[in-house]
Amino acid sequence: MTTVILVVMCVVVGALELYAGKQSRDQANAFTRRIDQLNDQVTKQNNVLVTVGEQLTAELSRVKQDVLPALDNRLRQNTGQVEELAGLVHQADDYLRTQAGRLHELEQQRITLAALRRKLGEVETSVRAATRAGGEAADGRVDAALGRLAELERGGEEILELQRALTRTLEDVEDVVAELLQFTEGELDDTVTAALTGRPRAHGGAVTATGRLWTRDGQLEDILSDIYERCVRASRLEVRFRTSEDANGTAPGSPERRRYFLGGHASEDLAGVFSALLISAGAGARPNGGASGGGARRGLARVEPGVPAGVEPVRAPEDEAALKALLRTLAECSGAVVQIGPLMAVRTRDELLCAVLTAAQSLELESDEVFWDPAAASVRLRRLPSHQLWDLTGWAVAP
């Protein structure tokens, strides 16, 4: 019996050892598989890191080879342009000082000539009194001298007027150069900032729209120019620089054609803004001259933030008020042409038209001299589709 028990115990112990060995092998195999999985993950991550490193290395190489040399060249070019413009400004300033000195000298010469003329007049009176009987020859010489002196004085006044006109022209050139210099410095700062920060260049510093201003009424020219620039600022635009030229070349006294280069918004964005402003400002007028009946307020009006629909705001927004002021001033002119980006306004003796042009139509303006003539421009605007044209003639004369 004891032998049987020992045999059974040996069998049980052997079975337990076999089970324990099997468990150990299973755990070892599971641990090996986990180790292999971890090795595979580490290998994959290592491959990904290697790929990203290669991409970063390639990108850095491209930046060093392409971007940095191009940026360096751009900075050198802009620096050269700024130095050149600064030199031009200094030259213009020196020239203005020289012309001011010459003007002072000419003024002194004119005063001297006037005093000499008075002295010769006194001499003429005394000579004529002394030689009234036989001094006809001397009288003739005195008259010739006085005539020559008057011619010299007129010539001096003409030279003085020419010097003043030259000074005004140089002052205009200095203003344009200063604005170009400011514009170039802004472009340079924008480029450097974008290069250092990696952000895209700011859109507001570039020229995004053009404008024009002309009127045949010389008395209203300065007033219209001031109201025009006020309307530009109210439309959240800024004048980058401006130029002017005479309609008939350099003919004195002819109306100036003023060109404006504006920045702040793209022309495509301005089209919708001006359409809404014209719908609100020209409340009693419809496109192409149509009018609605009744005495109540007609047309559409813009809804201001915080104001319920159908309730009139206490005062018009700044851009709407500025546009109305510009249109009212145009109505007082006998002939004028105004452009702010896609907005075109023409005043003839009989009508006041406004239009919001597309990009292609605005591009046509840049090379078409017709739009400097109010009569021809109104005929051209009448050909536009009805949704682009507003006839504000009746609105302009309304109380």
Side-chain angles (χ1 to χ4, degrees), residues 171-251:
E171 289 175 353
D172 294 338
V173 171
E174 185 179 7
D175 292 338
V176 172
V177 171
E179 291 174 351
L180 286 173
L181 182 60
Q182 182 180 3
F183 175 72
T184 304
E185 289 176 350
E187 285 287 302
L188 179 59
D189 293 339
D190 197 8
T191 301
V192 173
T193 302
L196 295 177
T197 61
R199 299 173 182 172
R201 293 183 58 189
H203 184 60
V207 174
T208 57
T210 59
R212 69 181 68 201
L213 176 63
W214 177 87
T215 177
R216 66 165 54 97
D217 299 326
Q219 296 178 349
L220 295 177
E221 186 174 4
D222 293 336
I223 298 176
L224 184 60
S225 176
D226 181 68
I227 295 177
Y228 173 87
E229 294 186 7
R230 192 180 307 168
C231 184
V232 167
R233 291 191 296 270
S235 301
R236 294 173 180 83
L237 294 170
E238 58 182 4
V239 178
R240 304 304 300 166
F241 52 93
R242 62 181 69 81
T243 61
S244 62
E245 60 181 8
D246 294 331
N248 298 321
T250 58

Side-chain angles (χ1 to χ4, degrees), residues 117-170:
R117 183 179 181 181
R118 289 194 299 270
K119 187 65 176 178
L120 287 177
E122 295 174 358
V123 172
E124 176 190 13
T125 302
S126 61
V127 168
R128 286 181 177 177
T131 60
R132 185 171 299 174
E136 296 181 357
D139 190 31
R141 288 194 296 271
V142 172
D143 289 338
L146 290 175
R148 179 60 178 167
L149 186 59
E151 291 178 359
L152 290 174
E153 186 176 359
R154 286 194 299 270
E157 291 177 352
E158 291 177 357
I159 292 174
L160 185 61
E161 184 63 29
L162 290 175
Q163 292 291 340
R164 289 173 179 169
L166 179 59
T167 301
R168 288 193 297 269
T169 302
L170 289 175

Side-chain angles (χ1 to χ4, degrees), residues 29-43:
N29 292 333
F31 184 75
T32 303
R33 288 194 299 272
R34 182 59 179 168
I35 293 297
D36 293 337
Q37 292 176 357
L38 292 175
N39 286 331
D40 293 339
Q41 292 180 359
V42 170
T43 303

Side-chain angles (χ1 to χ4, degrees), residues 41-111:
Q41 292 180 359
V42 170
T43 303
K44 292 178 181 179
Q45 292 178 357
N46 187 27
N47 293 334
V48 171
L49 290 175
V50 170
T51 304
V52 172
E54 292 176 352
Q55 292 177 352
L56 289 176
T57 303
E59 187 68 20
L60 288 175
S61 300
R62 188 187 67 81
V63 169
K64 290 180 181 179
Q65 294 176 0
D66 300 335
V67 178
L68 292 180
L71 178 61
D72 185 62
N73 294 332
R74 180 70 181 275
L75 290 174
R76 291 178 181 176
Q77 292 176 359
N78 288 333
T79 302
Q81 292 177 356
V82 170
E83 293 176 353
E84 184 178 355
L85 290 173
L88 290 175
V89 171
H90 290 311
Q91 291 178 3
D93 187 42
D94 295 338
Y95 192 75
L96 286 174
R97 291 196 184 95
T98 303
Q99 296 302 319
R102 295 184 62 185
L103 286 175
H104 181 70
E105 292 177 359
L106 289 173
E107 188 70 22
Q108 295 297 327
Q109 292 178 5
R110 188 183 67 82
I111 295 173

